[in-house]
Every structure is written in C-alpha cells, then in structure tokens.
Amino acid sequence: CKMWLFIATLFLTQAAANSEDVIEHTKGANPETFMNISQMICYRGYPSEEYEVLTRDGYYVRLNRIPHGREKPGNGGPKLVVFLQHGLLGEGSNWVENLSNNSLGFILADSGYDVWLGNSRGTRWSQRHQHLSTDQVEFWDFSFHEMAMYDLPAMINFVLRKTGQKQIYYVGYSQGATIAFIAFSSMPELAQKVKMFFALAPAVIIKHAKSPVMKMSFLLDRQFKIFQLWRFLPDLCRHPVLHKPCATLLFLLGGYNEKNLNTVSPLPSSHGMSPSKTTSSLTSSLSQVLQGWVSLWGFSDVSASLQETPPSYQLEKMPVPTALWSGGEDWAVDWRDVQLLLPRIAHVVSYVHIADWNHWDFIWGLDAPGRLYSHILALMERPR
C-alpha cells in the first residue's frame, strides 16, 4: 500500500514538472482522482485486496476487500462479512471516498468487520467480458435484471468461499438495493446466505421521483448523439471552471443539500493523514459518479427502471430481514415510493425516514455516521 502513496506523489510531482498547463490542472488536485479503488483504500492506511469474478453469462466483475481496520486484528476467529453494493451512478469507491471516520467502508472495517465492495458490470472497474469488448453494442445489452441474477450471485458466492463464512450482511444503496430485492426474492438459495439486508434509498418504485434528469427520457437513449458528450464528462468535471455546473447536475439528480457534503479532502503530510482544503471531495466524487452514466445509457432495458409500477418480481417472497431508510429531500427515490414498497416486504426489522436528506447523503453526508451508519452497526450487533 505504501507503494501506491509513493506513485500518487510521484505522478503529481512529474506532472507538475512537465508543463504549465498540467501544473494548472493538477494544482490543488486530489490525488485520489487518479487512483483505482485499491489505491484509494491503501492511501487511507487500510489493507486492500482486489479480485475479479466471472459471472455465468461471461462478464468479469471486480471486488475490493478491506479485510480489517488500520490496526491489525488479533486472533479472534473469523470475522463477520459485510458486502457493500453501490448505486446506479456509482461504483465501489463511493463507500471509501470521505475521510475514514465518515466513510462506511472504513467505519465497518475499524469496527471489526471484513468489508467487501462490489462493482457492477459496466462500471469503470468491471468492463471485461469473455468474448465481447466495450466497443460492441452487445456488451452493453444488459439491465439491472442481469446485475441481480448474475453479478450478485457470482460476487456473494465468491466472498463466502474466500472467507469461509455461511452468511453476509448486505448493504445496498439505490440500485444496489434494487438488484438485491430482485436477487433475494428470485433465488431462495442466495437469500439464505444473507443475514440482514440494509436498503438505503431503495430504487424499486419510481413513481414520485422529482429529479428533472430522470424525466428526460431522451438522455437514456444510447443512440442519441448526446451520449458521446457524456462519455467525456468525468474528465471535464475535473477542470475547476466546470466544478459548479457539475455540482449542479449532481443536485439535479438527487436533490439539494450542499451543506452536508464534505469539502475537505484528505491529503498526506509528513505526519500521516491530515485534512487539507486544497480541493473539494464533491468534484472528485462527481467525476467518478458520472462514469456510471456510460453504463446507464448502454442498458437495453433502462426504461424498466423508470416505470411507475415495479417490475413483476415477487418481493413478498424475500425471506431476508430488511432495514430501510429514505430521505425527505431525495429527488431520485422519493420517500412516498419507499412507503409503497414497505407493505411488500415480509420481514421489515426497521424503517427510518430522514426528513432533510437527499439521495447523496446516504453515502457522502457529513452527518451519515451519526444518523445512519451507527444504526446499521447497532442492528448488526443486535442478538438475533
């Protein structure tokens, strides 16, 4: 892990020496902008492992693991496993982008859990196939149904084999909850491997969504010319002049709550990790979030995610104990839609509504540790 910190420092130093343009571009830049997920984890001082898993339909999906916290654990036997699955516009890095005391992935690792981060097909780190390339339309011929029926079983079964455990805790955010509802209600044998399911802003029923972007169906047509523009947005949003419009787009998608987003980026110092205000974590996160749009527009059945009634999955058959959260200012997953979902879940152990939260607060909110993550930990540690 120390090697990645050295490489990041070397990269920025060399880039600054190359030209005045690059100096301006990298001045005050967050080194994590150029890192993969393993490097980001190591950069915070945590152990990191990375694996690639083959699904039954030929896709390779990436898994990242934080086996323990910063302190090496004692011989307390096998640790309980937590699997974190990102939302529609995200990737596994979303769980480790804030400071270590504000990121669920690190909080769980420091609490003694074996933490795994999933990356769905089509995201930046899961763009390999046995026979197809990302330049082929056929590669993108999938929807959240395939993520549920192929990606999740492949990842969860791999994690259980690797750890020797029989069950996991599953935390799904937005689409990460969507695919879990599909998978756990459709595959009883997979559901038995989940000790508890934590659904954060679950995108299952999209009837009252307020986001204007989600109502612009032409943006979701992969044949539309604007698709080519969105391919470049992650890089474009790194430029300081575009920080503001990119942030505006983020809020148009999920709702406004700028005061609750981290604007302090953790940068290295001679004494280890220390906060520095040289850059905004919001922009770094948005750059990575926008990468997910590419896979979104590749979906052959994306309209299913925008229909007013849920797909014909028998959610009532899902046997997994489930805790749910909704946000009152969430423009993507309206709390009224979560209320419609609740009666269809057979084993609700908890439901919490956070009135002032938008869609992004579940993963990036400054107050998330106290208002959400502590509750998740309490439910995990509750005797059952």
Side-chain angles (χ1 to χ4, degrees), residues 164-318:
Q165 295 291 300
K166 293 183 178 180
Q167 288 186 310
I168 63 166
Y169 288 108
Y170 182 98
V171 181
Y173 163 64
S174 190
Q175 180 189 258
T178 308
I179 62 177
F181 277 113
I182 296 171
F184 303 157
S185 62
S186 303
M187 294 178 279
E189 70 284 358
L190 184 67
Q192 294 300 321
K193 299 173 183 177
V194 181
K195 190 176 182 68
M196 189 177 292
F197 169 25
F198 303 89
L200 317 183
V204 179
I205 300 174
I206 309 295
K207 181 178 181 180
H208 298 95
K210 299 191 231 14
S211 171
V213 178
M214 295 183 69
K215 297 179 185 298
M216 299 177 187
S217 59
F218 71 89
L219 291 177
L220 307 178
D221 183 0
R222 70 179 174 201
Q223 302 300 330
F224 200 77
K225 297 298 183 184
I226 200 171
F227 168 69
Q228 298 302 325
L229 169 64
W230 285 84
R231 279 185 176 273
F232 300 103
L233 269 178
D235 290 325
L236 290 174
C237 284
R238 292 193 180 110
H239 292 271
V241 70
L242 293 177
H243 286 182
K244 203 72 175 178
C246 286
T248 300
L249 175 59
L250 182 76
F251 290 129
L252 283 173
L253 285 166
Y256 285 79
N257 196 4
E258 188 171 3
K259 62 179 174 54
N260 201 32
L261 281 172
N262 179 28
T263 56
V264 178
S265 176
L267 296 175
S269 72
S270 57
H271 302 289
M273 299 296 175
S274 65
S276 171
K277 292 185 178 180
T278 56
T279 189
S280 167
S281 290
L282 168 61
T283 305
S284 174
S285 298
L286 176 60
S287 176
Q288 296 178 11
V289 165
L290 287 174
Q291 190 75 32
W293 280 100
V294 176
S295 60
L296 168 62
W297 283 313
F299 289 173
S300 61
D301 191 25
V302 72
S303 60
S305 65
L306 302 178
Q307 61 192 53
E308 291 189 356
T309 56
S312 57
Y313 301 107
Q314 295 180 297
L315 303 185
E316 295 82 0
K317 291 187 175 181
M318 188 181 74

